[in-house]
Amino acid sequence: KVLWMRDLHKIVRVSCASFHSGFVDNNGNVFTCGVGLDYRLGHGDQNTLYQPKQVIACNKLKICQIECVDTRSFVITTDGDLLSWGKDPISGRTNKLPFIY
């Protein structure tokens, strides 16, 4: 029997890559789960998570959009800032936590 996390409510945005997923709730909070390799989940570690966990580094930001791709994730704030974490496939640069462009 599969149960959705009871603490995860009012999801307004979802993005799924091959090995990880991201969610934004109506308060602008970000949650991720999946394979944590290359720091793609934004929690500062490479742990694999089977249930969504809030990305604490985004707590003080109001997020309106999320995109999970390959080995990284992107979010956009309501102020228009773009943040990314994970490994850039071209440069090889890795950001363990959200990085503002």
Side-chain angles (χ1 to χ4, degrees), residues 4-100:
W4 185 249
M5 278 188 59
R6 292 187 177 118
D7 297 333
L8 204 57
H9 300 287
K10 299 182 181 177
I11 299 301
V12 295
R13 297 281 185 261
V14 175
S15 180
C16 301
S18 297
F19 297 102
H20 73 295
S21 300
F23 313 89
V24 178
D25 70 11
N26 66 331
N27 292 319
N29 298 309
V30 179
F31 301 83
T32 58
C33 63
V35 176
L37 189 65
D38 296 319
Y39 302 94
R40 68 186 77 183
L41 300 182
H43 302 292
D45 58 39
Q46 296 190 74
N47 296 336
T48 293
L49 300 175
Y50 297 98
Q51 294 184 8
K53 177 180 175 183
Q54 188 169 2
V55 179
I56 302 301
C58 292
N59 272 1
K60 295 183 180 182
L61 303 170
K62 179 97 172 163
I63 304 300
C64 63
Q65 187 60 269
I66 187 164
E67 187 67 32
C68 297
V69 295
D70 300 325
T71 59
R72 57 193 166 155
S73 302
F74 298 92
V75 293
I76 299 174
T77 68
T78 55
D79 292 332
D81 293 324
L82 174 66
L83 290 85
S84 177
W85 56 85
K87 183 177 181 181
D88 184 307
I90 296 171
S91 70
R93 180 179 178 177
T94 300
N95 294 302
K96 295 181 181 180
L97 295 169
F99 167 80
I100 298 176

